[in-house]
Amino acid sequence: MQAMDTAQLIALAGVLGWASGVRLYLVVLLTGLAGFMGWIQLPQGLHLLAHPVVLGASGFMVFVEFFADKIPGLDSLWDVVHTMIRIPAGAALAAGVFGADSGLMALAAALMGGTLAATSHAAKATSRAAINTSPEPFTNVGVSLVEDGMVPAGLWLAIAHPLVFVAVLILVLVLSVWLIRICWRFLRQLFARVARIFSGKPDIGPSPAFTLKSPFSKNDRHV
């Protein structure tokens, strides 16, 4: 088992920050389990994750979160509660990659990890809140299962192919920013609609979160 090179360490810090905003407890469990089983050599700042007590606690929380995240409404409440947990945890885990070797690198990693965790958490929370406006639960469960699979896939890619992971991460960040913008606009319109209903004003109807604009609009002028 060889120590990770610089590219792998940077990718590991990135994936720990990003994935913490999606599935914090699964990140802790899988990272600690990989070190405990000897699959990878964890940086010294992450050795605590391989402790049996931490593995047991994170495993229990993974079990709880797996079901809580698939119940419409409860998943959004879970996201709200974890807003103040996932972001600092993502920063701390990313800093732990370099914490034992370089204070400057640890600080940079913490800033990167916190930013990535905040972005992925915001994308997750807003998209799930928008999905919860639909009465059927199947989309919610499907998206949750996709998130379950994204975390181990990201961890593996960061270690096995760090440069590929960085490229994929940049693409994911761009998509996340777009998703946050679209879902937040939809939720803001929904809140405004609810406020109109309670104020006694006429309801103009809901606006879809995602729309496709036709190239043949009635407002187009043809010569």
Side-chain angles (χ1 to χ4, degrees):
M1 181 175 56
Q2 296 179 346
M4 287 183 281
D5 57 28
T6 302
Q8 289 176 314
L9 290 174
I10 294 175
L12 178 62
V15 73
L16 290 179
W18 168 80
S20 293
V22 181
R23 289 286 190 277
L24 172 61
Y25 305 114
L26 185 59
V27 171
V28 174
L29 176 63
L30 293 179
T31 306
L33 189 62
F36 182 80
M37 298 297 293
W39 298 334
I40 62 174
Q41 184 177 342
L42 291 178
Q44 187 175 348
L46 299 179
H47 283 179
L48 183 63
L49 301 184
H51 193 283
V53 174
V54 177
L55 290 174
S58 60
F60 172 75
M61 291 306 299
V62 166
F63 177 81
V64 173
E65 186 172 55
F66 179 84
F67 293 100
D69 195 69
K70 291 169 178 60
I71 301 176
L74 180 58
D75 62 336
S76 291
L77 178 60
W78 186 267
D79 287 337
V80 171
V81 172
H82 282 77
T83 299
M84 301 303 296
I85 301 176
R86 291 171 178 162
I87 298 173
L93 289 173
V97 175
F98 300 99
D101 301 319
S102 172
L104 181 60
M105 287 295 295
L107 177 59
L111 293 173
M112 177 184 68
T115 301
L116 292 175
T119 303
S120 60
H121 171 73
K124 168 184 166 58
T126 54
S127 61
R128 298 298 289 276
I131 290 173
N132 283 338
T133 61
S134 173
E136 51 84 21
F138 305 106
T139 303
N140 185 292
V141 174
V143 172
S144 181
L145 290 173
V146 170
E147 293 172 354
D148 290 333
M150 287 170 57
V151 172
L155 289 169
W156 172 81
L157 188 62
I159 300 301
H161 306 285
L163 297 181
V164 175
F165 169 78
V166 171
V168 172
L169 180 61
I170 293 174
L171 177 60
V172 170
L173 290 177
V174 173
L175 292 176
S176 296
V177 172
W178 174 82
L179 188 62
I180 292 170
R181 180 176 177 272
I182 293 297
C183 292
W184 176 247
R185 183 174 62 185
F186 168 73
L187 292 172
R188 187 173 58 184
Q189 293 174 349
L190 180 63
F191 294 149
R193 181 191 174 202
V194 172
R196 282 195 301 269
I197 293 174
F198 279 96
S199 65
K201 296 179 180 179
D203 179 20
I204 61 176
S207 300
F210 303 97
T211 57
L212 293 177
K213 189 175 182 180
S214 173
F216 304 105
S217 174
K218 293 182 179 180
N219 295 327
D220 292 342
R221 294 182 179 180
H222 301 280
V223 178

